[in-house]
Amino acid sequence: MKILFATSEAAPFIKTGGLGDVASALPKALAETPNTEVYVFLPYYKAIKDNPDFEIEYITNFTVPLSWRNVYAGLFRAVSKRKKLQYYFIDNEYYFYRDGCYGHYDDGERFAFYSKAILESLQYLDWYPDVIHANDWQTALVPVFLRAHYMNVEKYQPIRTLFTIHNMEYQGRFPDEFVDEVLGLPEDWKPTMHFDTCTNLMKAAIHTADRVSTVSRTYAFEIQDPYYAHGLHDVLRQHAYKLSGVVNGIDTEVFDPAADPLLYANFDASTLEKKAENKQFLQQRLGLAVRDVPMVAMITRLVGHKGVDLVQAVMDDLMWDDLQLVILGTGERQYEDMFRSYAANFPAKMSANILFDNTLAHQLYAGADLVLMPSKQEPCGLTQLIGMRYGTIPIVRETGGLFDTVPAYNIETGEGNGFTFKSYNAHDMLDAVRRAESLFHDKEHWTALQKSVMAYDSSWKRSVQEYWDIYHSLVD
């Protein structure tokens, strides 16, 4: 089977969040299946083009018709010995030779061009996939353009599409004139593109894709509720017959405590004393007191829907407890300043690292005892999966993929992966933290829980099979 994976980011080339990890690990896992070819498409961003570590070759160039304009597109390919997994890059320096992937005034036009260029490039490669797997609003126009402009071309007609929603909050909303000025779609497509006073690219993809998926089973149900759907609940209910939830996995080669080159000391479930060495290293590096107390890590974007407002509400209580809190991430100024202030006042038990640091993230996964994820909504979450891989126990709110992957720990049976709370309430979260603190001092049960979560299968093995079931339902 031939699969085209369309994404706006993928590690190791470019990554700003969880999509970058998924778009790295999932195609790799798919390509390991016999009789499979996977082509991953990315914009040729400045950060990729200027990185000397990547060996990338020119293939060809062509023009992309986009409404009234014909736009240059270059097609490049990463040099690879693996024929079953190839990475292609769509080049246009006007659109992509900029700092940062997102947040530009013309993002709609940039990713409309990118989506159209992916489809145009197939005829120059003379390679036509069985399935195009598009991801989030940046590639939501791929199934739209395929249906609107390419169904009269014989080689495009068998292509089927899967659209995956990684986060409902970001839907690709633009003024209605965007359809004429940028997309150049026929008049009868305007109702498909329109939703709630504007053009909505995610809504259009849900309508036009052959199948729709999201990144956990619980989130697939949640997004049919107004609280989670950001307005699209009725659209998703209408198309529920083609909606599936597939829990994300992680790349267990990248995140492997026994071989991770970024750690102070490598370890596995049989050498947990080495995990304690990582903790001591972290305490020294971050200026924390070197003590055997629970270390709680938050590795996240510092924004409200990640539950940072809950943490803010009980910071005094947390600082009263005999624990250490380490923050890693950037986000809204109010939260950044709040954590900096507490770190200045409690330097022996609080460390605020307001930055993106991949090495420190890996060291936190390895050295911390607990990872806190009190999210208001979490489509899947990778942090809890990575934490468990390193024997770091998650504390989570029961939502989305957190509910699917972190069943509540039961000390009597030994079942469960972590500590949970249901209501979006700061003191319910605090209660979960304190339950975790209490178990930390019960070393027998604590060690047993660490070994149990390290044995949890967080790989893509099961999820890949679920995606194969979707692909085969389309092609068969």
Side-chain angles (χ1 to χ4, degrees), residues 52 155 161 232 393 456 464:
K155 290 187 176 181
T161 54
L232 288 181
I393 311 303
Y456 178 83
V464 161

Side-chain angles (χ1 to χ4, degrees), residues 18 36 47 82 87 127 143 192-193 241 324 328 374 433-434 436 471:
T36 303
R82 295 182 295 183
Y87 289 87
W127 183 87
T192 300
M193 306 304 300
Y241 68 94
Q324 293 175 337
L328 175 61
V433 173
R434 287 176 170 167
Y471 298 153

Side-chain angles (χ1 to χ4, degrees), residues 43-55:
Y44 201 8
Y45 296 114
K46 177 183 178 183
I48 302 174
K49 183 172 284 192
D50 290 351
N51 191 330
D53 294 338
F54 302 136
E55 188 177 355

Side-chain angles (χ1 to χ4, degrees), residues 89-124:
F89 304 90
I90 299 295
D91 179 49
N92 181 296
E93 292 201 345
Y94 173 74
Y95 289 132
F96 299 127
Y97 198 73
R98 310 179 187 184
D99 294 327
C101 299
Y102 317 121
H104 298 281
Y105 76 96
D106 58 346
D107 275 359
E109 182 177 330
R110 295 169 69 227
F111 289 106
F113 158 77
Y114 170 56
S115 298
K116 192 78 174 290
I118 290 172
L119 294 168
E120 284 288 314
S121 69
L122 302 182
Q123 56 193 302
Y124 297 95

Side-chain angles (χ1 to χ4, degrees), residues 251-284:
D251 189 327
T252 53
E253 293 180 2
V254 173
F255 299 106
D256 180 3
D260 191 334
L262 301 178
L263 303 191
Y264 174 75
N266 293 112
F267 64 97
D268 57 25
S270 66
T271 56
L272 281 172
E273 66 276 5
K274 296 288 187 179
K275 182 173 173 65
E277 293 179 21
N278 284 285
K279 180 178 178 178
Q280 184 174 348
F281 166 79
L282 261 182
Q283 289 171 324
Q284 293 171 339

Side-chain angles (χ1 to χ4, degrees), residues 201-234:
L201 304 190
M202 183 175 285
K203 179 257 187 178
I206 293 168
H207 268 281
T208 55
D210 296 297
R211 289 288 297 271
V212 178
S213 72
T214 190
V215 289
S216 70
R217 292 180 293 276
T218 297
Y219 197 58
F221 289 103
E222 287 178 340
I223 59 178
Q224 297 177 59
D225 183 276
Y227 183 79
Y228 293 94
H230 297 275
L232 288 181
H233 50 281
D234 286 334

Side-chain angles (χ1 to χ4, degrees), residues 134-202:
N135 294 270
D136 269 350
W137 77 262
Q138 292 89 350
T139 57
L141 284 166
V142 173
V144 174
F145 284 140
L146 179 65
R147 287 282 186 91
H149 293 310
Y150 295 87
M151 284 295 96
N152 61 338
V153 181
E154 183 178 354
K155 290 187 176 181
Y156 286 82
Q157 290 171 359
I159 298 174
R160 298 294 178 260
T161 54
L162 168 65
F163 176 65
T164 295
I165 300 166
H166 295 264
N167 194 326
M168 284 297 304
E169 187 172 357
Y170 307 105
Q171 298 179 3
R173 299 182 180 93
F174 301 99
D176 275 335
E177 53 266 27
F178 185 78
V179 175
D180 290 325
E181 288 295 317
V182 176
L183 306 184
L185 291 170
E187 187 72 21
D188 58 358
W189 273 83
K190 288 185 177 179
T192 300
M193 306 304 300
H194 179 83
F195 182 78
D196 191 26
T197 74
C198 67
T199 293
N200 186 307
L201 304 190
M202 183 175 285

